[in-house]
Amino acid sequence: MTRDIGADFRALHRPGDPFILANAWDIGSARMLARMGAQAIGTSSAAHAFTLGRPDMGQVTRDEALAHAQDLIAAVSVPVSGDFENGFGDDPDSCADTVRLSAEIGLAGISIEDTALPAATPYEFELAVDRIRAAASAARALPGDFVLVARADGIMNGQYDIEQALARLRAFDDAGADCLYAPIPASFDDLARICAATGKPVNALAAGPYTKFSRADYARIGVARISLGSALARATQRVILDAGHAMFGDGDFTPLSVSVSGDEIDTMLG
């Protein structure tokens, strides 16, 4: 019997019992995270861009993102979801095409945001909804299951408030999105409002001020999925920055003393 990876992925989305979508940036990080217990792996558009020596926000092409996702899919046995920015096009048909191409390579789902990249400006309301409707229609026409996440990024980007985010998320819900996501709302209470506004699973981002909350805190308000975005990749970059400043500034190599043993990494990658 052929495995339906999308169905496996959907089954993880239980409001009030959130799983961690561990965002990886290369084959090694994906394998390590899966070996440590990640039930699903996500790509990270920002972290992937960093590996290519590029900044965040619309700097990676669809072909590059799909090829990167294929590498992670081949590296692990758990479901992999694509962080696919604005669906790699402004029009609804581009979003639908991205869904179909993602399913073809074996992704269990993707997220599509409402930002007209590379700017931080949100799409006009009706266009934003039409884009999700087209993506959802394409997802439902697939032979297997596929989890479509609709993102309202305007709060994080400083473009609109919680009321506009809620209006968009409700409209995305009605348009057929499977999971809803508004990264980094102004308060944890606002995140609770998002969870209460829909019967669909809600994704929360464990980054910035939201790292102080535990899985139990997220479960209490009904979150179904906790993603890391680029936070884990940025944490590794913090180590590089700290060690680099110490080495090149003061000739101090002590930050390297926290490195993990090669044997431990070899075991995880083997």
Side-chain angles (χ1 to χ4, degrees):
M1 182 176 177
T2 304
R3 179 185 182 189
D4 188 338
I5 199 75
D8 291 350
F9 189 45
R10 185 180 297 278
L12 295 174
H13 293 72
R14 298 184 296 270
D17 184 19
F19 75 99
I20 298 170
L21 179 66
N23 298 88
W25 56 93
D26 60 13
I27 291 171
S29 59
R31 285 183 176 165
M32 286 181 67
L33 290 164
R35 190 66 179 264
M36 288 186 286
Q39 295 172 282
I41 296 295
T43 69
S44 163
S45 59
H48 179 208
F50 299 157
T51 68
L52 300 172
R54 302 174 196 166
D56 189 13
M57 301 286 282
Q59 303 301 309
V60 175
T61 68
R62 180 164 63 188
D63 285 348
E64 288 174 325
L66 289 168
H68 171 64
Q70 281 184 295
D71 286 342
L72 302 195
I73 292 166
V76 298
S77 59
V78 298
V80 177
S81 181
D83 174 19
F84 280 178
E85 298 189 307
N86 68 339
F88 303 105
D90 297 325
D91 59 288
D93 286 346
S94 292
C95 295
D97 287 342
T98 295
V99 166
R100 287 187 283 266
L101 291 167
S102 298
E104 284 177 12
I105 67 166
L107 281 166
I110 62 170
S111 61
I112 294 178
E113 62 192 63
D114 64 346
T115 308
L117 297 172
T121 339
Y123 290 108
E124 179 270 329
F125 188 95
E126 290 303 326
L127 175 57
V129 176
D130 286 345
R131 286 160 38 81
I132 295 303
R133 184 177 293 111
S137 178
R140 299 295 80 83
L142 295 170
D145 204 352
F146 191 86
V147 178
L148 174 67
V149 181
R151 290 177 50 155
D153 278 31
I155 296 176
M156 181 175 69
N157 294 333
Q159 299 292 316
Y160 52 69
D161 62 11
I162 181 63
E163 300 305 332
Q164 175 66 195
L166 286 168
R168 287 180 177 240
L169 291 172
R170 290 187 182 104
F172 296 160
D173 186 342
D174 292 340
D178 300 305
C179 179
L180 302 172
Y181 180 19
I184 314 294
S187 70
F188 201 69
D189 287 343
D190 281 349
L191 179 58
R193 288 184 65 191
I194 291 169
C195 293
T198 177
K200 300 275 181 71
V202 170
N203 184 97
L205 175 61
Y210 279 82
T211 57
K212 69 182 180 183
F213 298 104
S214 68
R215 181 184 176 279
D217 293 326
Y218 287 111
R220 175 174 49 80
I221 63 169
V223 168
R225 180 171 108 179
I226 304 165
S227 62
L228 311 179
S230 61
L232 188 56
R234 291 177 191 273
T236 66
Q237 290 171 327
R238 176 78 267 167
V239 173
I240 295 171
L241 281 170
D242 289 346
H245 286 314
M247 288 188 298
F248 302 122
D250 303 319
D252 176 12
F253 297 95
T254 56
L256 301 179
S257 64
V258 299
S259 61
V260 67
S261 76
D263 288 344
E264 187 172 357
I265 298 300
D266 288 348
T267 298
M268 287 188 175
L269 298 182

Coordinates of all heavy atoms in Angstrom, one line a residue, residues 42-133:
G42 N 10.2 21.1 8.3 CA 9.8 22.1 7.4 C 11.0 22.8 6.8 O 12.1 22.8 7.4
T43 N 10.9 23.3 5.6 CA 11.9 24.1 5.0 C 11.7 25.5 5.7 O 10.7 25.8 6.3 CB 11.8 24.2 3.5 OG1 10.7 25.0 3.1 CG2 11.8 22.8 2.8
S44 N 12.7 26.3 5.5 CA 12.6 27.7 6.0 C 13.1 28.6 4.8 O 14.3 28.5 4.4 CB 13.5 27.9 7.2 OG 13.7 29.3 7.4
S45 N 12.3 29.5 4.3 CA 12.7 30.3 3.2 C 13.9 31.2 3.5 O 14.8 31.3 2.7 CB 11.5 31.1 2.7 OG 11.0 32.0 3.7
A46 N 13.9 31.7 4.7 CA 15.0 32.6 5.2 C 16.3 31.8 5.3 O 17.3 32.1 4.8 CB 14.7 33.3 6.5
A47 N 16.2 30.6 6.1 CA 17.4 29.8 6.3 C 17.9 29.3 5.0 O 19.1 29.2 4.8 CB 17.0 28.7 7.3
H48 N 17.1 28.9 4.1 CA 17.5 28.4 2.8 C 18.3 29.5 2.0 O 19.3 29.3 1.5 CB 16.4 27.9 2.0 CG 16.7 27.4 0.6 ND1 15.9 27.4 -0.5 CD2 17.9 26.8 0.1 CE1 16.5 26.9 -1.5 NE2 17.7 26.6 -1.2
A49 N 17.7 30.7 2.1 CA 18.3 31.8 1.4 C 19.7 32.1 2.0 O 20.7 32.4 1.3 CB 17.5 33.1 1.5
F50 N 19.8 32.0 3.3 CA 21.1 32.2 4.0 C 22.2 31.2 3.5 O 23.3 31.6 3.3 CB 21.0 32.1 5.5 CG 20.1 33.1 6.1 CD1 19.5 32.8 7.4 CD2 19.7 34.2 5.5 CE1 18.6 33.7 8.0 CE2 18.9 35.2 6.1 CZ 18.3 34.9 7.3
T51 N 21.8 29.9 3.2 CA 22.7 28.9 2.8 C 23.2 29.3 1.4 O 24.3 28.8 1.0 CB 22.1 27.5 2.8 OG1 21.1 27.4 1.8 CG2 21.6 27.1 4.1
L52 N 22.4 30.1 0.6 CA 22.8 30.5 -0.7 C 23.5 31.8 -0.7 O 23.9 32.4 -1.8 CB 21.6 30.6 -1.6 CG 20.8 29.2 -1.8 CD1 19.5 29.5 -2.5 CD2 21.6 28.2 -2.5
G53 N 23.8 32.4 0.5 CA 24.4 33.7 0.6 C 23.5 34.8 0.2 O 24.0 35.9 -0.3
R54 N 22.2 34.7 0.4 CA 21.3 35.7 0.0 C 20.5 36.1 1.3 O 20.3 35.4 2.2 CB 20.3 35.2 -1.0 CG 21.0 34.7 -2.3 CD 20.0 34.1 -3.2 NE 20.6 33.3 -4.3 CZ 20.0 32.4 -5.1 NH1 18.7 32.3 -5.0 NH2 20.7 31.7 -5.9
P55 N 19.9 37.4 1.3 CA 19.1 37.8 2.4 C 17.7 37.1 2.2 O 17.4 36.5 1.3 CB 19.0 39.3 2.1 CG 19.2 39.5 0.7 CD 20.2 38.4 0.3
D56 N 16.9 37.3 3.3 CA 15.5 36.8 3.3 C 14.6 37.7 2.4 O 15.0 38.7 1.8 CB 15.0 36.9 4.7 CG 13.7 36.2 4.9 OD1 13.3 35.4 4.0 OD2 13.1 36.4 6.0
M57 N 13.4 37.2 2.2 CA 12.3 37.9 1.5 C 12.4 37.9 0.0 O 12.9 38.8 -0.7 CB 12.2 39.4 1.9 CG 12.0 39.5 3.4 SD 10.3 39.2 3.9 CE 9.4 40.7 3.4
G58 N 11.9 36.8 -0.6 CA 11.8 36.7 -2.0 C 13.0 36.6 -2.9 O 13.0 36.9 -4.0
Q59 N 14.1 36.0 -2.3 CA 15.4 35.9 -3.0 C 15.6 34.5 -3.6 O 16.7 34.3 -4.2 CB 16.5 36.3 -2.0 CG 16.3 37.7 -1.5 CD 16.3 38.8 -2.5 OE1 17.1 38.8 -3.4 NE2 15.3 39.6 -2.4
V60 N 14.7 33.6 -3.3 CA 14.9 32.2 -3.8 C 13.8 31.9 -4.8 O 12.7 32.2 -4.7 CB 14.8 31.2 -2.6 CG1 14.9 29.8 -3.1 CG2 15.9 31.5 -1.6
T61 N 14.2 31.3 -5.9 CA 13.2 30.9 -7.0 C 12.4 29.7 -6.6 O 12.9 28.9 -5.7 CB 13.9 30.7 -8.3 OG1 14.7 29.5 -8.2 CG2 14.8 31.9 -8.7
R62 N 11.4 29.5 -7.3 CA 10.6 28.3 -7.1 C 11.4 27.0 -7.4 O 11.3 26.0 -6.6 CB 9.3 28.3 -7.9 CG 8.4 27.1 -7.7 CD 7.0 27.3 -8.1 NE 6.9 27.5 -9.6 CZ 5.8 27.8 -10.2 NH1 4.7 28.0 -9.5 NH2 5.8 28.0 -11.5
D63 N 12.1 27.0 -8.5 CA 12.9 25.8 -8.8 C 13.9 25.5 -7.7 O 14.2 24.4 -7.4 CB 13.6 26.0 -10.2 CG 12.6 25.9 -11.4 OD1 11.5 25.4 -11.2 OD2 13.0 26.3 -12.5
E64 N 14.6 26.6 -7.2 CA 15.5 26.4 -6.1 C 14.9 25.8 -4.9 O 15.4 24.9 -4.2 CB 16.3 27.7 -5.8 CG 17.2 28.1 -6.9 CD 17.8 29.5 -6.7 OE1 17.1 30.4 -6.1 OE2 19.0 29.7 -7.0
A65 N 13.7 26.4 -4.6 CA 13.0 25.9 -3.3 C 12.6 24.5 -3.5 O 12.7 23.7 -2.5 CB 11.8 26.8 -3.1
L66 N 12.1 24.1 -4.7 CA 11.7 22.7 -4.9 C 12.8 21.8 -4.8 O 12.7 20.7 -4.2 CB 10.9 22.6 -6.2 CG 9.5 23.3 -6.3 CD1 9.1 23.3 -7.7 CD2 8.5 22.5 -5.4
A67 N 13.9 22.1 -5.4 CA 15.1 21.3 -5.4 C 15.6 21.1 -4.0 O 16.0 20.0 -3.6 CB 16.2 21.9 -6.3
H68 N 15.6 22.2 -3.2 CA 16.0 22.1 -1.8 C 15.1 21.2 -1.0 O 15.6 20.4 -0.2 CB 16.0 23.5 -1.2 CG 16.2 23.6 0.2 ND1 17.4 23.2 0.9 CD2 15.4 24.1 1.2 CE1 17.3 23.4 2.2 NE2 16.1 23.9 2.4
A69 N 13.8 21.3 -1.2 CA 12.8 20.5 -0.5 C 13.0 19.0 -0.9 O 12.9 18.2 0.0 CB 11.4 20.9 -0.9
Q70 N 13.3 18.8 -2.2 CA 13.6 17.4 -2.6 C 14.8 16.8 -1.8 O 14.7 15.6 -1.4 CB 13.9 17.3 -4.1 CG 12.6 17.3 -4.9 CD 12.9 17.2 -6.4 OE1 13.6 18.0 -7.0 NE2 12.5 16.1 -7.0
D71 N 15.8 17.5 -1.6 CA 16.9 17.1 -0.8 C 16.5 16.7 0.6 O 16.9 15.6 1.1 CB 18.0 18.1 -0.7 CG 18.8 18.3 -2.0 OD1 18.7 17.5 -2.9 OD2 19.4 19.4 -2.1
L72 N 15.7 17.5 1.2 CA 15.2 17.2 2.6 C 14.3 16.0 2.6 O 14.4 15.1 3.5 CB 14.6 18.4 3.2 CG 15.4 19.7 3.3 CD1 14.7 20.7 4.3 CD2 16.8 19.4 3.7
I73 N 13.4 15.9 1.6 CA 12.5 14.7 1.5 C 13.3 13.4 1.4 O 13.0 12.4 2.1 CB 11.6 14.9 0.3 CG1 10.6 16.1 0.5 CG2 10.8 13.6 0.0 CD1 9.9 16.5 -0.7
A74 N 14.3 13.4 0.6 CA 15.2 12.2 0.4 C 16.0 11.9 1.7 O 16.4 10.7 1.9 CB 16.1 12.4 -0.8
A75 N 16.2 12.9 2.5 CA 17.1 12.7 3.7 C 16.3 12.1 4.9 O 17.0 11.5 5.8 CB 17.7 14.0 4.1
V76 N 15.0 12.2 5.0 CA 14.3 11.8 6.2 C 13.1 11.0 5.8 O 12.6 11.0 4.7 CB 13.8 13.0 7.0 CG1 15.1 13.8 7.5 CG2 12.9 13.9 6.2
S77 N 12.5 10.3 6.8 CA 11.3 9.5 6.5 C 10.0 10.2 7.0 O 8.9 9.7 6.7 CB 11.4 8.1 7.2 OG 11.6 8.2 8.6
V78 N 10.2 11.3 7.8 CA 9.0 12.0 8.3 C 8.5 12.9 7.2 O 9.2 13.2 6.2 CB 9.4 12.7 9.6 CG1 9.8 11.8 10.7 CG2 10.4 13.8 9.3
P79 N 7.2 13.4 7.3 CA 6.7 14.4 6.3 C 7.5 15.6 6.3 O 8.1 16.1 7.3 CB 5.3 14.6 6.9 CG 4.9 13.5 7.7 CD 6.2 13.0 8.3
V80 N 7.6 16.2 5.1 CA 8.3 17.5 4.9 C 7.3 18.5 4.4 O 6.6 18.2 3.4 CB 9.5 17.4 4.0 CG1 10.2 18.7 3.8 CG2 10.5 16.4 4.6
S81 N 7.3 19.7 4.9 CA 6.4 20.8 4.5 C 7.3 21.9 3.9 O 8.4 22.2 4.5 CB 5.5 21.3 5.6 OG 4.7 22.3 5.2
G82 N 6.8 22.6 2.9 CA 7.6 23.7 2.3 C 7.1 25.1 2.7 O 5.9 25.4 2.7
D83 N 8.1 25.9 3.2 CA 7.8 27.3 3.5 C 8.0 28.1 2.2 O 9.2 28.4 1.9 CB 8.8 27.7 4.6 CG 8.7 29.2 4.9 OD1 7.7 29.9 4.5 OD2 9.7 29.8 5.4
F84 N 7.0 28.3 1.4 CA 7.1 28.7 0.1 C 6.6 30.2 -0.1 O 6.0 30.5 -1.1 CB 6.3 27.7 -0.9 CG 7.2 26.5 -1.2 CD1 6.7 25.5 -1.9 CD2 8.5 26.4 -0.7 CE1 7.4 24.4 -2.2 CE2 9.2 25.2 -0.9 CZ 8.7 24.2 -1.7
E85 N 6.9 31.0 0.8 CA 6.7 32.4 0.7 C 5.4 32.8 0.1 O 4.3 32.4 0.6 CB 7.9 33.1 0.0 CG 9.2 32.8 0.7 CD 10.4 33.6 0.1 OE1 10.6 33.5 -1.1 OE2 11.0 34.3 0.8
N86 N 5.3 33.6 -1.0 CA 4.1 34.0 -1.6 C 3.6 33.0 -2.6 O 2.7 33.4 -3.5 CB 4.2 35.4 -2.1 CG 5.1 35.5 -3.3 OD1 5.9 34.6 -3.5 ND2 5.0 36.5 -4.1
G87 N 4.1 31.8 -2.7 CA 3.7 30.9 -3.7 C 4.4 31.1 -5.0 O 4.1 30.5 -6.0
F88 N 5.4 32.0 -5.0 CA 6.3 32.3 -6.1 C 5.5 32.9 -7.3 O 5.8 32.6 -8.4 CB 7.1 31.0 -6.5 CG 7.9 30.4 -5.4 CD1 7.5 29.2 -4.8 CD2 9.0 31.0 -5.0 CE1 8.2 28.7 -3.7 CE2 9.8 30.5 -3.9 CZ 9.4 29.4 -3.3
G89 N 4.6 33.8 -7.0 CA 3.9 34.5 -8.0 C 2.8 35.3 -7.4 O 2.2 34.9 -6.3
D90 N 2.4 36.4 -8.0 CA 1.3 37.2 -7.5 C 0.0 36.7 -7.8 O -1.0 36.9 -7.0 CB 1.5 38.6 -8.1 CG 2.8 39.3 -7.7 OD1 3.2 39.1 -6.5 OD2 3.3 40.1 -8.5
D91 N -0.2 36.0 -8.9 CA -1.6 35.6 -9.3 C -2.0 34.3 -8.7 O -1.1 33.5 -8.4 CB -1.6 35.6 -10.9 CG -0.6 34.6 -11.4 OD1 0.6 34.9 -11.3 OD2 -1.0 33.5 -11.8
P92 N -3.3 34.0 -8.6 CA -3.8 32.8 -8.1 C -3.3 31.5 -8.8 O -3.0 30.5 -8.2 CB -5.3 32.9 -8.2 CG -5.5 34.4 -8.1 CD -4.4 35.0 -8.9
D93 N -3.2 31.6 -10.1 CA -2.7 30.4 -10.9 C -1.3 30.0 -10.5 O -1.0 28.8 -10.5 CB -2.7 30.7 -12.4 CG -4.1 30.7 -13.0 OD1 -5.0 30.2 -12.3 OD2 -4.3 31.2 -14.1
S94 N -0.4 31.0 -10.2 CA 0.9 30.7 -9.7 C 0.9 29.9 -8.4 O 1.7 28.9 -8.2 CB 1.8 31.9 -9.5 OG 2.0 32.6 -10.8
C95 N 0.0 30.3 -7.5 CA -0.1 29.5 -6.2 C -0.6 28.1 -6.5 O -0.1 27.2 -5.9 CB -1.1 30.3 -5.3 SG -0.5 31.9 -4.8
A96 N -1.6 28.0 -7.4 CA -2.1 26.6 -7.7 C -1.0 25.8 -8.3 O -0.8 24.6 -8.0 CB -3.3 26.7 -8.7
D97 N -0.2 26.3 -9.2 CA 0.9 25.6 -9.9 C 1.9 25.2 -8.8 O 2.5 24.0 -8.9 CB 1.6 26.5 -10.9 CG 0.8 26.6 -12.2 OD1 -0.2 25.9 -12.4 OD2 1.0 27.6 -12.9
T98 N 2.2 26.0 -7.8 CA 3.2 25.7 -6.8 C 2.7 24.5 -6.0 O 3.5 23.7 -5.6 CB 3.4 26.9 -5.9 OG1 4.1 27.9 -6.7 CG2 4.4 26.6 -4.8
V99 N 1.4 24.5 -5.7 CA 0.8 23.4 -4.9 C 1.0 22.1 -5.7 O 1.5 21.1 -5.2 CB -0.7 23.6 -4.7 CG1 -1.4 22.3 -4.2 CG2 -0.9 24.7 -3.6
R100 N 0.7 22.1 -7.0 CA 0.8 20.9 -7.8 C 2.3 20.4 -7.9 O 2.6 19.2 -7.8 CB 0.2 21.1 -9.2 CG -1.3 21.2 -9.2 CD -1.8 21.3 -10.6 NE -1.7 22.6 -11.2 CZ -2.6 23.6 -11.2 NH1 -3.8 23.3 -10.6 NH2 -2.4 24.7 -11.7
L101 N 3.2 21.3 -8.2 CA 4.6 21.0 -8.2 C 5.1 20.5 -6.9 O 5.9 19.5 -6.9 CB 5.4 22.2 -8.7 CG 5.2 22.7 -10.1 CD1 5.8 24.0 -10.4 CD2 5.8 21.7 -11.1
S102 N 4.6 21.0 -5.8 CA 5.1 20.6 -4.5 C 4.6 19.2 -4.2 O 5.4 18.3 -3.7 CB 4.5 21.5 -3.4 OG 5.0 22.8 -3.6
A103 N 3.4 18.8 -4.6 CA 2.9 17.5 -4.4 C 3.7 16.5 -5.3 O 3.9 15.4 -4.8 CB 1.4 17.4 -4.7
E104 N 4.0 16.9 -6.5 CA 4.7 16.0 -7.4 C 6.1 15.6 -6.8 O 6.5 14.4 -7.1 CB 5.0 16.7 -8.7 CG 3.7 16.8 -9.6 CD 4.0 17.5 -10.9 OE1 5.2 17.8 -11.2 OE2 3.0 17.9 -11.6
I105 N 6.8 16.4 -6.1 CA 8.1 16.0 -5.5 C 8.0 15.3 -4.2 O 9.0 14.9 -3.6 CB 9.0 17.2 -5.4 CG1 8.5 18.2 -4.4 CG2 9.2 17.9 -6.8 CD1 9.6 19.3 -3.9
G106 N 6.7 15.2 -3.6 CA 6.6 14.5 -2.4 C 6.4 15.3 -1.1 O 6.5 14.8 0.0
L107 N 6.2 16.6 -1.3 CA 6.0 17.4 -0.1 C 4.6 17.1 0.5 O 3.6 16.8 -0.2 CB 6.0 18.9 -0.4 CG 7.4 19.5 -0.5 CD1 7.4 20.9 -1.2 CD2 8.1 19.6 0.9
A108 N 4.5 17.1 1.8 CA 3.2 16.8 2.5 C 2.3 18.0 2.6 O 1.1 17.9 2.9 CB 3.5 16.3 3.9
G109 N 2.9 19.2 2.3 CA 2.1 20.4 2.4 C 3.0 21.6 2.2 O 4.2 21.5 2.1
I110 N 2.4 22.8 2.1 CA 3.2 24.0 2.0 C 2.4 25.2 2.7 O 1.3 25.0 2.9 CB 3.5 24.5 0.5 CG1 2.2 24.8 -0.2 CG2 4.3 23.4 -0.2 CD1 2.4 25.4 -1.6
S111 N 3.2 26.2 2.9 CA 2.5 27.5 3.4 C 2.7 28.5 2.3 O 3.7 28.6 1.7 CB 3.1 27.9 4.7 OG 4.5 28.2 4.6
I112 N 1.6 29.4 2.2 CA 1.6 30.5 1.3 C 1.2 31.7 2.1 O 0.2 31.7 2.8 CB 0.7 30.3 0.1 CG1 1.2 29.1 -0.7 CG2 0.5 31.5 -0.7 CD1 0.3 28.8 -1.9
E113 N 2.0 32.8 2.0 CA 1.7 34.0 2.7 C 1.1 35.1 1.8 O 1.0 34.9 0.6 CB 3.0 34.6 3.3 CG 4.1 34.9 2.4 CD 5.4 35.2 3.0 OE1 6.0 34.2 3.6 OE2 5.9 36.3 2.9
D114 N 0.6 36.1 2.5 CA -0.1 37.2 1.7 C 0.7 38.4 1.5 O 0.2 39.5 1.4 CB -1.4 37.6 2.5 CG -1.1 38.2 3.9 OD1 0.1 38.1 4.4 OD2 -2.0 38.8 4.5
T115 N 2.0 38.2 1.3 CA 2.9 39.4 1.1 C 3.4 39.4 -0.3 O 3.8 38.4 -0.9 CB 4.1 39.2 2.0 OG1 3.7 39.0 3.4 CG2 5.0 40.5 2.0
A116 N 3.3 40.6 -0.9 CA 3.7 40.8 -2.3 C 5.3 41.0 -2.4 O 5.8 42.1 -2.6 CB 3.0 42.0 -2.9
L117 N 6.0 39.9 -2.2 CA 7.4 39.9 -2.2 C 8.0 40.4 -3.5 O 7.4 40.3 -4.5 CB 8.0 38.5 -1.9 CG 7.5 38.0 -0.5 CD1 8.0 36.5 -0.4 CD2 8.1 38.8 0.6
P118 N 9.2 41.1 -3.5 CA 10.1 41.2 -2.3 C 9.8 42.4 -1.4 O 10.5 42.6 -0.4 CB 11.4 41.4 -3.0 CG 11.1 42.1 -4.3 CD 9.8 41.5 -4.7
A119 N 8.7 43.1 -1.7 CA 8.3 44.1 -0.7 C 7.6 43.5 0.5 O 7.2 42.3 0.4 CB 7.3 45.1 -1.4
A120 N 7.4 44.2 1.5 CA 6.6 43.7 2.7 C 5.2 44.0 2.6 O 4.4 43.7 3.5 CB 7.2 44.3 4.0
T121 N 4.7 44.6 1.5 CA 3.3 45.0 1.4 C 2.4 43.8 1.2 O 2.7 42.9 0.5 CB 3.1 45.9 0.2 OG1 4.3 46.5 -0.2 CG2 2.2 47.0 0.5
P122 N 1.3 43.8 1.9 CA 0.3 42.7 1.8 C -0.5 42.9 0.5 O -0.7 44.0 0.0 CB -0.6 42.8 3.0 CG -0.6 44.3 3.3 CD 0.8 44.7 3.0
Y123 N -0.9 41.7 -0.1 CA -1.8 41.8 -1.2 C -3.1 42.4 -0.8 O -3.6 42.2 0.4 CB -2.0 40.4 -1.8 CG -0.9 39.8 -2.5 CD1 -0.1 38.7 -1.9 CD2 -0.4 40.2 -3.7 CE1 1.0 38.2 -2.5 CE2 0.7 39.7 -4.3 CZ 1.4 38.6 -3.7 OH 2.5 38.1 -4.4
E124 N -3.8 43.0 -1.7 CA -5.2 43.5 -1.4 C -6.0 42.3 -1.0 O -5.8 41.2 -1.4 CB -5.7 44.1 -2.7 CG -7.1 44.7 -2.6 CD -8.1 43.6 -3.0 OE1 -7.9 42.8 -3.9 OE2 -9.2 43.7 -2.4
F125 N -7.0 42.6 -0.1 CA -7.7 41.5 0.6 C -8.3 40.5 -0.4 O -8.1 39.3 -0.2 CB -8.8 42.2 1.4 CG -9.6 41.2 2.3 CD1 -9.2 41.1 3.7 CD2 -10.6 40.4 1.9 CE1 -9.9 40.2 4.5 CE2 -11.3 39.5 2.7 CZ -10.9 39.4 4.0
E126 N -9.0 40.9 -1.4 CA -9.7 39.9 -2.2 C -8.7 39.1 -3.0 O -8.9 37.9 -3.2 CB -10.7 40.7 -3.2 CG -11.9 41.2 -2.5 CD -12.7 40.2 -1.7 OE1 -12.8 39.0 -2.1 OE2 -13.2 40.5 -0.6
L127 N -7.6 39.7 -3.5 CA -6.6 39.0 -4.2 C -5.9 38.0 -3.3 O -5.7 36.8 -3.7 CB -5.6 39.9 -4.8 CG -4.4 39.2 -5.5 CD1 -4.8 38.3 -6.6 CD2 -3.4 40.3 -6.0
A128 N -5.7 38.4 -2.0 CA -5.1 37.4 -1.1 C -6.0 36.2 -0.9 O -5.5 35.1 -0.8 CB -4.9 38.1 0.3
V129 N -7.3 36.4 -0.8 CA -8.2 35.3 -0.6 C -8.3 34.5 -1.9 O -8.3 33.2 -1.8 CB -9.6 35.8 -0.2 CG1 -10.6 34.7 -0.1 CG2 -9.5 36.6 1.1
D130 N -8.3 35.1 -3.0 CA -8.4 34.3 -4.3 C -7.2 33.5 -4.5 O -7.3 32.3 -5.0 CB -8.5 35.3 -5.5 CG -9.9 36.0 -5.6 OD1 -10.8 35.4 -5.0 OD2 -10.0 37.0 -6.3
R131 N -6.0 33.9 -4.0 CA -4.8 33.1 -4.1 C -4.9 31.9 -3.3 O -4.5 30.8 -3.7 CB -3.6 34.0 -3.7 CG -3.2 35.0 -4.7 CD -2.3 36.2 -4.1 NE -1.4 35.7 -3.1 CZ -0.2 35.1 -3.3 NH1 0.2 35.0 -4.6 NH2 0.6 34.7 -2.4
I132 N -5.4 32.0 -2.1 CA -5.6 30.8 -1.2 C -6.7 29.9 -1.8 O -6.5 28.7 -1.8 CB -5.9 31.2 0.2 CG1 -4.7 32.0 0.8 CG2 -6.3 30.0 1.1 CD1 -3.4 31.2 0.8
R133 N -7.7 30.5 -2.3 CA -8.8 29.6 -2.9 C -8.3 28.8 -4.1 O -8.6 27.6 -4.2 CB -10.0 30.5 -3.4 CG -11.2 29.8 -3.9 CD -12.3 30.7 -4.3 NE -12.9 31.3 -3.1 CZ -12.8 32.6 -2.9 NH1 -12.1 33.4 -3.7 NH2 -13.3 33.2 -1.8

